[in-house]
Amino acid sequence: MKVIDIILTNEKLSLEKAVDFVRAEQAGGIVTFVGTVRNQTKGKKVIRLEFEAYEKMALSEMRKIAEQILFDFEINSVAIYHRTGNLSIGEIPVVIAVSAPHRKAAFAACEFAMDRLKKTVPIWKKEFFEDGAVWVSAHP
Amino acid sequence: MKVIDIILTNEKLSLEKAVDFVRAEQAGGIVTFVGTVRNQTKGKKVIRLEFEAYEKMALSEMRKIAEQILFDFEINSVAIYHRTGNLSIGEIPVVIAVSAPHRKAAFAACEFAMDRLKKTVPIWKKEFFEDGAVWVSAHP
Amino acid sequence: MEIEILAFGITKDIIGNKSLKLKVETPCRVRDLKILLKKDYPKLELLTSLMIAVNENYGDLDLLLQEGDEIALIPPVAGG
Amino acid sequence: MEIEILAFGITKDIIGNKSLKLKVETPCRVRDLKILLKKDYPKLELLTSLMIAVNENYGDLDLLLQEGDEIALIPPVAGG
C-alpha cells in the first residue's frame, strides 16, 4: 500500500485529497494541519505572499520528513502538500495529514512533520506589505 | 464573531465545513482531528458501529469543551461535530477543527478537546461483530 | 416523590427500557438513587462506572434531587 | 574548475540572478565556497544563515565539491 503522498504545486491545495489519501480501514484517527496566510505579521498588514521553492530538493526533503515520521511514530500514512507562487490572505500554503491507529501518535507525528518542514524544506516566503516586501526570516 | 460551532447529527460530517468555519484572516494555522471507524478492535473484526447520544447534554458538554479550550489556549475558533446512528467502517464519527495564530496552540487545543470529548460527552458506542455486539468500555 | 430516569447505552439494555419511573423518599441524593437502582438492577454494579446526570449536568453524589429534575443514567461514555 | 550555483529567495536578489558561474581552485570544499561567495557578495554575511546544498542535500562544511555537482544557495527557509 502507498503510504506517502508528496505534492508541490502552484495550484490550490486540497485538504480533502490529503485526508482521502491517508484514510485507511485500520486507521482510527486522522490529524491534519492546514496553514493559512495571515493578514498581518507583527502588527503590519500583509497584502499577499509569494512562495518560491527549490523544487527537486523541496520534494526530496518533504519525502524525508514523511519517511522519518513513519519510522519514528506508530502511524499508517502521511500526505504533505505545499504550494508555490502567489497566495492571497486566507489561502493555504501547506497541508499535512497523518493517519494512525491511535490519535496520540497522529497528533505528535503531524506536529513534528510541520515543525520539521519549516526547518528543512527549501521553500522561501516573501511577504508583501503596502510599502514593500520582505523575505521572511532572512535577516536576524 | 462566532467562534464556536457545535453539531450533533445522524448525517455525514463534513470536515470542509468545520475548516471553513474556523478559517479566519488572523489565523495562521488550523489543526483538525477526524475520527474514523476502524475495521477491528483488539484483533476482532468490526462490521459496523452504532452511536447513541443523550442529545441535549452531549451538545452542552461539547460546548463546554469548546469554551474551555478557548479560555485555556491561544486559539481563534473551534468546531466540534459528532455523528450518531449507524456507521460503517471508514466513516467519520467525529470532527474537531481548531484555528490559532500559532500552530502549537492549535495542536494542543485540538488534542485536548478530543481527549476531553471521550471522557465527558454522553455518547455511547456499540461495536457490532460477526457474533454479537458490545457497548464499548461499559465493563472493566 | 416520583422521579423519571432516562437510560442510555448499556443501561437501557439493563433496565429494559429507555426510561423508568421510580418512587423515592425525600430527601433523596444522587448517592441514594444509585444505591436504590443497583439493588433493583444488580447488573449496574458490574459497569466500569455509573454517573447520574441531573438537568444535563454530571451530578455530585451529594446533590439533592428535586421533583421535576431531568435525571439520566450515564454509563461509561465512548464518543469519538 | 568551473561550478554553477543556483540561488533562491533573498540570495537571488543579492546575487542579482537565479544562478551564477564561478571558477574555483580544486580542491574546493563547501567551507571555501562560502568564503569566496561572502567576499564577492558581502550582503550574504548579513543573513541569519546560509546553507549550501550539493546535489539536493544539505552540504557539510567539509564536503568536497566535484565537477558537475548541482550546487545551490539556501538562505533561511520559511515554508508553511
Side-chain angles (χ1 to χ4, degrees), chain A residues 111, chain B residues 73-75 98 100-110:
Chain A
E111 185 165 15
Chain B
F73 299 88
E74 294 282 330
I75 63 171
V98 175
H102 301 289
R103 69 183 180 284
K104 205 177 163 63
F107 275 106
C110 187

Side-chain angles (χ1 to χ4, degrees), chain B residues 6-51:
Chain B
I6 305 291
I7 295 177
L8 186 65
T9 174
N10 58 8
E11 315 221 321
K12 284 203 176 175
L13 302 183
S14 164
L15 171 61
E16 203 187 344
K17 184 185 168 87
V19 168
D20 282 347
F21 180 85
V22 300
R23 252 169 114 155
E25 296 204 334
Q26 74 274 29
I30 299 164
V31 172
T32 76
F33 178 78
V34 177
T36 52
V37 174
R38 291 176 67 182
N39 61 359
Q40 54 91 17
T41 289
K42 290 165 195 157
K44 205 169 170 190
K45 191 179 164 195
V46 174
I47 298 165
R48 64 176 182 90
L49 284 188
E50 193 183 313
F51 284 94

Side-chain angles (χ1 to χ4, degrees), chain A residues 13-16 18-19 31-37 81 90-97 110 114, chain B residues 15 19 22-23 27-32 97-100 103 106-107, chain D residues 80:
Chain A
L13 302 183
S14 165
L15 172 61
E16 202 186 344
V19 168
V31 172
T32 76
F33 178 78
V34 177
T36 52
V37 175
Y81 302 165
E91 285 199 291
I92 296 174
V94 63
V95 167
I96 299 181
C110 187
M114 187 57 207
Chain B
L15 171 61
V19 168
V22 300
R23 252 169 114 155
I30 299 164
V31 172
T32 76
V98 175
S99 63
R103 69 183 180 284
F107 275 106

Side-chain angles (χ1 to χ4, degrees), chain A residues 75-96:
Chain A
I75 62 172
N76 291 330
S77 51
V78 50
I80 305 180
Y81 302 165
H82 206 293
R83 194 169 158 193
T84 55
N86 289 310
L87 276 79
S88 311
I89 307 304
E91 285 199 291
I92 296 174
V94 63
V95 167
I96 299 181

Side-chain angles (χ1 to χ4, degrees), chain A residues 7-53:
Chain A
I7 295 177
L8 186 65
T9 174
N10 57 10
E11 314 220 323
K12 283 203 177 175
L13 302 183
S14 165
L15 172 61
E16 202 186 344
K17 185 185 166 87
V19 168
D20 281 348
F21 180 86
V22 300
R23 250 168 115 155
E25 296 204 334
Q26 74 274 31
I30 299 165
V31 172
T32 76
F33 178 78
V34 177
T36 52
V37 175
R38 289 177 68 183
N39 60 359
Q40 54 90 16
T41 290
K42 290 165 195 157
K44 207 170 167 187
K45 190 179 162 194
V46 174
I47 298 166
R48 65 178 183 88
L49 285 188
E50 192 183 313
F51 284 92
E52 182 185 345

Side-chain angles (χ1 to χ4, degrees), chain C residues 28-37 50-54 58-65 71:
Chain C
C28 178
R29 295 178 192 275
V30 165
R31 184 193 317 277
D32 307 320
L33 178 62
K34 283 180 77 166
I35 292 169
L36 273 177
L37 286 167
L50 179 66
M51 302 288 285
I52 306 286
V54 180
Y58 289 103
D60 192 88
L61 286 176
D62 290 328
L63 184 69
L64 209 53
L65 301 177
I71 298 165

Side-chain angles (χ1 to χ4, degrees), chain A residues 51-52 54 56-57 61 64 82 94 114 117-125 135-140, chain D residues 6-10 12-13 46-49 53 56-58 70 72-80:
Chain A
F51 284 92
E52 182 185 345
Y54 178 12
K56 280 188 298 180
M57 184 173 169
E61 290 293 329
K64 279 183 198 168
H82 206 293
V94 63
M114 187 57 207
L117 183 146
K118 287 186 91 79
K119 288 194 188 113
T120 65
V121 178
I123 294 179
W124 298 274
K125 173 158 68 176
W135 286 104
V136 175
S137 304
H139 294 111
Chain D
L6 307 173
F8 294 96
I10 196 165
K12 205 173 55 178
D13 296 349
L46 305 175
L47 299 178
T48 311
S49 70
E56 293 151 32
N57 282 296
Y58 289 102
E70 181 175 317
L73 300 185
I74 312 284
V77 303

